[in-house]
Amino acid sequence: MACFEPGTFIDLATRENLPLRDVRGAMLRVTRGSLWITQEDDTQDIVLRAGDTWVVERDGLTIVEAQAASTLCIVGRNVEAVLASRRG
């Protein structure tokens, strides 16, 4: 499955996590595997599987954790700056 908008693809190993800060409005699309997502100050967790799409609902810390080897596409504001710190 492809990311139909310009975005950033990220591969995560099983149990690897990806912290995202202040990316409200960013779209996450799972192309492989499954993800568990939790947002700061939110009691509801999200589980996404391949083919699912979800939009980050608030600023603050959002943690994405792979439940199996996964690939996701992230599209949205501030995403490149957030991910640059991960690469660095």
Side-chain angles (χ1 to χ4, degrees):
M1 183 174 298
C3 188
F4 297 106
E5 297 182 46
T8 301
F9 284 92
I10 298 174
D11 292 315
L12 296 174
T14 301
R15 300 287 181 230
E16 184 178 3
N17 68 59
L18 173 66
L20 301 170
R21 182 165 294 283
D22 299 331
V23 294
R24 179 174 49 98
M27 181 187 74
L28 282 61
R29 180 181 192 88
V30 182
T31 60
R32 174 180 65 106
S34 61
L35 303 174
W36 168 79
I37 301 168
T38 188
Q39 296 180 101
E40 187 173 350
D41 296 326
D42 192 345
T43 59
Q44 180 180 355
D45 292 342
I46 308 295
V47 175
L48 302 178
R49 292 176 177 77
D52 290 344
T53 300
W54 178 76
V55 176
V56 178
E57 299 168 343
R58 60 177 45 125
D59 279 332
L61 182 61
T62 299
I63 297 176
V64 177
E65 182 179 283
Q67 299 302 291
S70 301
T71 302
L72 69 144
C73 175
I74 303 177
V75 178
R77 72 176 182 89
N78 297 333
V79 170
E80 282 303 318
V82 169
L83 296 175
S85 65
R86 181 177 190 249
R87 290 183 212 118

